Amino acid sequence: MSETRVHNLAVSLDGFATGEPQSLEAPFGHAGERLHEWFFPTATFRAMAGGEGDPAAAPDDAFASRWGDRIGAEIMGANKFGPPGWQDDPDWRGWWGPNPPFHTPTFVLTHRPRGPVEMEGGTTFHFLDASPADALAAARDAAGGLDVRIGGGPTVVRDFLAEGLVDHLHVVIVPILLGRGVRLWDGLEGLEKDYDIESTTTPSGVTHLTFDRR
Amino acid sequence: MSETRVHNLAVSLDGFATGEPQSLEAPFGHAGERLHEWFFPTATFRAMAGGEGDPAAAPDDAFASRWGDRIGAEIMGANKFGPPGWQDDPDWRGWWGPNPPFHTPTFVLTHRPRGPVEMEGGTTFHFLDASPADALAAARDAAGGLDVRIGGGPTVVRDFLAEGLVDHLHVVIVPILLGRGVRLWDGLEGLEKDYDIESTTTPSGVTHLTFDRR
Ligand SMILES: NC(=O)c1ccc[n+]([C@@H]2O[C@H](COP(=O)([O-])OP(=O)(O)OC[C@H]3O[C@@H](n4cnc5c(N)ncnc54)[C@H](OP(=O)(O)O)[C@@H]3O)[C@@H](O)[C@H]2O)c1
Ligand SMILES: NC(=O)c1ccc[n+]([C@@H]2O[C@H](COP(=O)([O-])OP(=O)(O)OC[C@H]3O[C@@H](n4cnc5c(N)ncnc54)[C@H](OP(=O)(O)O)[C@@H]3O)[C@@H](O)[C@H]2O)c1
């Protein structure tokens, strides 16, 4: 069975998965890199640049490394794909350079779709103006029997959670208070009823939460 | 040095320390007892009724039991002291019966103060319409060199945090999503800069967060 999964979604203690304002210079707004400091020393992150992980980050990497297993497609929101206004730039191809780390068909939800863009390394961006359920059906088709990752940002993850479309959710609680930005948890009262939830604290100080559909 | 401490403050994953609406029948609103299920089996809670703790709850009790150490006074908000409208009832003496579990002078912040009420077991309720700093000064005076506990609810704890008056904060994150109620974390951007923060997950599934002033 193809599952729908969210991985490595970092939120502040007060529930923000990004700061504000989002811009080309500051994709996470005033949050800067603070939501992801736990991630940078992991083998999973370092491998993207051909480097090696810090052994001290192994407990975090045990979670982080699940990101790519059996994933056949990703769905992301317009605000993860680019800064406000990227739709006005016909040459914008995402933040990730010519060879993005997705290596699968990658569906960008936007109200201003364009034609697909094939990148190096197996990533093709497809732009979709569609409901979460329809977007998931398209991504499943493209995933060839593998799982679909909902890559963020928080608005898209929240929408998929609200519609009951997520089988596995991995959230990383970072002990900072952002005060403003985009909240992950709004409008999800009672979500826990559908999931087995586990919490694990690591030496880096973050808490990994996993939700697995019952 | 007399410190100001918060203990056993339970919040949902989405940051609510109580549900809504608060009433005589449902002091925590739609949250019911869900924020405190981790607490009920602890030796600290059971001892209040003369019982014994569940050994399985020992990891939670290691935190819960710090509640009373070296505490010489408590400050609480009007909404912790009673349901909406308690100020109209001259006989309201709190939820806790004739012998409340505080056993110290206990200051209730309210815009409709009344004269002090002496209870059994060392608890005297004093009603104060005062700023957090002035309330803390009064409680310190009464505490005889011991520490002052800020007992909740979330509005009062948030106000004391925002004014930089809290030395130690113990929050328990309960993996439920309440969706509505009173948030603890609002307006506290950057709070982490003043504290050393530790996170500990216990088998009950909650995460204990401690903030200690640097
Ligand atoms: N904390 C983390 O781990 C993490 C992970 C990923 C991303 N992020 C950050 O999160 C931020 C982005 O998150 P966000 O919540 O602002 O936005 P987002 O979820 O990335 O994107 C939301 C936008 O996508 C479009 N969209 C969403 N659903 C759609 C649908 N069904 N049909 C058509 N268009 C749809 C809409 O944009 P338009 O109407 O403009 O087309 C909507 O405003 C960025 O700062 C990113 O860096 C954080
Ligand atoms: N999750 C937990 O561990 C925990 C712990 C304790 C309590 N609780 C729950 O939290 C809820 C109460 O919290 P809450 O945030 O609604 O309210 P609260 O913090 O208990 O009380 C706030 C009220 O206290 C009065 N007040 C606060 N500061 C004042 C000041 N400086 N001067 C004068 N009056 C002041 C005001 O009431 P008036 O203007 O009406 O006088 C204000 O509306 C209850 O449901 C309680 O059961 C939860």
Side-chain angles (χ1 to χ4, degrees):
Chain A
M1 229 327 258
S2 164
E3 300 211 316
T4 306
R5 296 157 40 195
V6 177
H7 289 271
N8 299 338
L9 186 65
V11 300
S12 62
L13 255 186
D14 47 353
F16 296 99
T18 184
E20 64 181 23
Q22 299 173 26
S23 68
L24 186 61
E25 297 72 33
F28 291 85
H30 78 295
E33 299 193 324
R34 289 181 289 156
L35 286 169
H36 297 98
E37 275 160 12
W38 67 274
F39 185 50
F40 299 142
T42 62
T44 300
F45 180 79
R46 294 260 180 92
M48 293 183 197
E52 286 189 11
D54 181 341
D60 292 316
D61 197 54
F63 291 90
S65 63
R66 298 176 194 167
W67 181 84
D69 289 350
R70 288 191 48 79
I71 291 290
E74 160 150 336
I75 296 171
M76 70 170 72
N79 298 353
K80 173 173 170 181
F81 185 68
W86 65 264
Q87 289 99 335
D88 296 320
D89 175 358
D91 294 329
W92 180 263
R93 303 184 151 221
W95 302 98
W96 303 277
N99 186 353
F102 309 110
H103 310 302
T104 66
T106 299
F107 294 81
V108 179
L109 283 170
T110 171
H111 292 103
R112 295 174 61 192
R114 55 176 66 175
V117 179
E118 204 179 318
M119 309 291 288
E120 292 167 25
T123 301
T124 301
F125 292 118
H126 301 274
F127 299 85
L128 268 186
D129 184 354
S131 70
D134 288 347
L136 183 56
R140 278 233 168 99
D141 269 357
L146 296 176
D147 291 352
V148 174
R149 185 175 53 231
I150 311 297
T155 302
V156 161
V157 171
R158 192 193 322 118
D159 289 349
F160 277 74
L161 286 168
E163 303 221 353
L165 297 173
V166 175
D167 299 303
H168 174 82
L169 168 66
H170 166 228
V171 170
V172 186
I173 302 183
V174 179
I176 60 174
L177 288 148
L178 288 176
R180 53 207 163 90
V182 183
R183 288 185 197 274
L184 174 62
W185 299 120
D186 277 6
L188 296 176
E189 179 180 341
L191 185 74
E192 72 279 3
K193 294 192 190 85
D194 298 328
Y195 294 90
D196 293 321
I197 304 179
E198 289 198 14
S199 309
T200 310
T201 304
T202 55
S204 69
V206 303
T207 302
H208 296 271
L209 278 175
T210 56
F211 288 58
D212 280 286
R213 189 189 290 285
R214 288 205 172 119
Chain B
M1 230 322 260
S2 165
E3 299 211 318
T4 307
R5 295 157 39 194
V6 178
H7 288 271
N8 299 339
L9 185 66
V11 301
S12 62
L13 254 186
D14 47 352
F16 297 99
T18 183
E20 63 179 25
Q22 299 172 29
S23 69
L24 186 61
E25 297 72 32
F28 291 84
H30 78 294
E33 300 192 322
R34 289 181 289 156
L35 286 169
H36 297 98
E37 275 160 12
W38 68 273
F39 185 50
F40 299 140
T42 63
T44 299
F45 180 79
R46 294 260 180 91
M48 294 182 195
E52 287 189 10
D54 180 340
D60 292 315
D61 197 53
F63 291 91
S65 63
R66 299 175 193 170
W67 181 84
D69 289 350
R70 289 190 47 79
I71 291 290
E74 161 149 336
I75 297 172
M76 70 170 73
N79 298 353
K80 174 173 170 180
F81 185 67
W86 66 264
Q87 288 100 336
D88 297 319
D89 175 359
D91 295 328
W92 180 263
R93 301 183 152 222
W95 302 98
W96 303 276
N99 186 352
F102 310 110
H103 310 301
T104 66
T106 300
F107 294 82
V108 179
L109 283 169
T110 169
H111 291 104
R112 295 174 61 192
R114 56 176 66 175
V117 180
E118 204 179 320
M119 309 290 290
E120 292 168 26
T123 301
T124 302
F125 292 118
H126 301 274
F127 300 84
L128 268 186
D129 184 353
S131 71
D134 288 347
L136 183 56
R140 277 233 169 99
D141 270 357
L146 296 178
D147 292 351
V148 175
R149 185 175 52 230
I150 311 298
T155 301
V156 161
V157 172
R158 193 192 321 119
D159 289 350
F160 277 73
L161 286 169
E163 304 222 351
L165 297 172
V166 176
D167 299 304
H168 174 82
L169 168 66
H170 167 227
V171 170
V172 186
I173 301 183
V174 179
I176 59 174
L177 287 148
L178 288 176
R180 54 207 163 90
V182 183
R183 289 185 196 273
L184 173 62
W185 299 120
D186 278 6
L188 296 175
E189 179 181 340
L191 185 73
E192 72 279 2
K193 294 193 190 86
D194 298 328
Y195 295 90
D196 292 319
I197 305 177
E198 289 198 12
S199 309
T200 310
T201 304
T202 54
S204 68
V206 304
T207 301
H208 296 272
L209 277 175
T210 55
F211 288 58
D212 280 287
R213 187 189 291 286
R214 289 205 172 120

